């Protein structure tokens, strides 16, 4: 079945530091890959996505590249801000049968200190 | 435009009771999915509906059921509540036409506490 593995957290960084959050996946076929962010007390917001190999998703300074050869979709940001503090989830969707359910990783908490 | 809305925002129930959660999708979206998020974990897929038909069901017991109405809103019902059902229940809507490439947009969730 499908699965998503995220690096263990939490992660604490200083403002303006470089961020990398690792994500690898196992899936049948050719999945679409997503990063969602969850701020305290809120639901999930789409951060970025990629639907085919070598695609790069980007948004708000965050980037992730769909690497089929390494089955990875690592999230990066060059300079984090305090406002980036949140929980980040990697997810995939692959068409199995008639539905397009999302399979999520466990999430990782990012704390950015001033 | 309004996003996905869910009601109620919070709910406290006791073991053995029944609960109904409600979701209204983004206007124009025909697919609704339900997820359960236990504290400290990623969301787990419960159901997906499209055009009032069930498209998929996750690994949840029959105590969980759902339906979608002609206006595409949806309800999730959980019977015979257990302590382990305490979680954040998330509803997501999508167009339903792009299948695995489409983005699912999430509501704020309903936080259920079972005592």
């Amino acid at each position: 079945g499908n699965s998503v593995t995220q690096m263990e957290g939490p992660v604490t960084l200083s403002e303006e530091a470089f961020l990398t959050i690792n994500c690898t996946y196992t899936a049948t076929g050719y999945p679409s890959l997503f990063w969602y962010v969850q701020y305290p007390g809120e639901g999930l917001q789409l951060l970025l996505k990629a639907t085919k190999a070598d695609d790069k998703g980007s948004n708000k300074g965050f980037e992730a590249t769909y690497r089929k050869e390494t089955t990875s979709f690592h999230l990066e940001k060059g300079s984090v801000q305090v406002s980036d503090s949140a929980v980040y989830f990697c997810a995939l969707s692959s068409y199995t049968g008639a539905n397009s359910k999302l399979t999520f990783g466990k999430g990782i908490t990012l704390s950015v200190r001033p | 435009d309004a996003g996905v809305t869910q009601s109620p925002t919070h709910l406290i129930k006791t073991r053995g009771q029944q609960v109904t959660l409600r979701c209204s999708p983004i206007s124009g979206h025909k697919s609704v999915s339900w997820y359960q998020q236990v504290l400290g974990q990623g969301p787990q897929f419960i159901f997906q509906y499209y055009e009032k038909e069930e498209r998929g069901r996750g690994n949840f017991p029959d105590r969980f059921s759902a339906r979608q109405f002609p206006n595409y809103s949806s309800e999730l019902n959980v019977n015979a509540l257990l302590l382990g059902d305490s979680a954040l229940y998330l509803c997501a809507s999508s167009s339903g036409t792009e299948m695995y490439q489409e983005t699912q947009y999430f509501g704020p969730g309903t936080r259920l506490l079972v005592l």
Side-chain angles (χ1 to χ4, degrees), chain B residues 38-79:
Chain B
V38 174
L39 195 63
Q41 299 293 319
Q44 297 290 317
F45 172 75
I46 310 176
F47 286 108
Q48 186 175 80
Y49 277 79
Y50 175 71
E51 292 276 19
K52 304 187 295 294
E53 297 291 326
E54 182 183 303
R55 258 186 174 172
R57 181 187 182 113
N59 189 23
F60 281 80
D62 291 344
R63 299 185 296 107
F64 288 76
S65 63
R67 56 180 175 168
Q68 187 177 32
F69 299 99
N71 66 353
Y72 304 112
S73 66
S74 176
E75 286 183 352
L76 175 70
N77 295 285
V78 187
N79 293 322

Side-chain angles (χ1 to χ4, degrees), chain B residues 66-100:
Chain B
R67 56 180 175 168
Q68 187 177 32
F69 299 99
N71 66 353
Y72 304 112
S73 66
S74 176
E75 286 183 352
L76 175 70
N77 295 285
V78 187
N79 293 322
L81 285 167
L82 303 174
L83 296 180
D85 294 331
S86 295
L88 179 67
Y89 289 84
L90 295 165
C91 174
S93 81
S94 56
S95 65
T97 58
E98 299 179 55
M99 298 313 293
Y100 69 95

